[in-house]
Amino acid sequence: MHQRPIGVFDSGLGGLTVLQALDDLLPDEDLLYVGDTARYPYGDKSPEELVHHAGQIAGFLVDAGAKMIVVACNSATAAALQPLQQQLDVPVVGVVAPGLRAAAAASRTHRTVVICTQVTAESRIYERTAEELRAGVEVRVLACPGFVQLVEEDRTVGPEAERLVADRLAPLLSARVDTLVLGCTHFPLLARTISKIVGRGVTLVSSADETAFEVKDLLERTGWLRSGTPPGRRVFHTTGDPERFRELGTRFLGYPLEDVRGLALAELVGRPVDPARTR
Ligand code: DGL
């Protein structure tokens, strides 16, 4: 088991922020990434659609040998973490609980705002998880439609991005918050613009590092840490255009993405946890 890769997925490039943290903490692990770029954004999909898409992708990753799945997407975590945990034989880790733990550690006022996609906000997963974990932070949630597109369309800086970010974050600017949870894995890629708008007094909290620590803990507990020749391999799949994914991903990660493969949606049909197959 320990020689197998860790499967990581998101609607597109956002999950690379989590992959980067895994890369830093677990350089010897093989990482297998899927960006569902053809069907992004996930944030405006229904929970049922996300259960379907996440099931297909997780099924693909398990078929490819993944020993663990990291749902590197808050929207898919909100809609599909539980069904995936119930249906899969391998551990499945989401990004919401790690994000809250990071916020609890960073906030001095114990009051935080989570910015996220529409489907994540509507799910109320942050409020519920904060209560379940007794995280010790009071959570307010703000949906920020359009931010994901700024990232996927490579428009993260400049006047247009600043206008949209200022507009969406306006309700926050008068509130006294010291931390802002980036409750969408795309948002760290927009951090420069978000910081410019909210000011340096507000700490931006991402779930990426905490998620990587959770994965490491789990691998240590199960004895599944990879012991092969370092460094681990990184293989990227996208349901969109591989060349574009390679170009933007290389810029975001800061090292060349050597192995980027196209993944046709047709290849995802009939995977073990595709509800279309079990219906
Ligand atoms: N990066 C994802 C998230 O964390 C999905 C964003 C989207 O595609 O709308 O929610």
Side-chain angles (χ1 to χ4, degrees), residues 10-11 14-15 40-44 72-76 117 120 148 183-186:
D10 176 48
S11 66
Y40 107 95
Y42 275 9
D44 61 8
C73 170
N74 291 263
S75 309
T117 66
T120 302
V148 170
C184 168
T185 54
H186 279 74

Side-chain angles (χ1 to χ4, degrees), residues 98-104 106-107 112 179-183 188 203-208:
L100 279 169
R101 280 199 296 273
S107 174
T112 192
T179 49
L180 201 56
V181 177
L182 304 176
T203 306
L204 303 187
V205 176
S206 141
S207 58

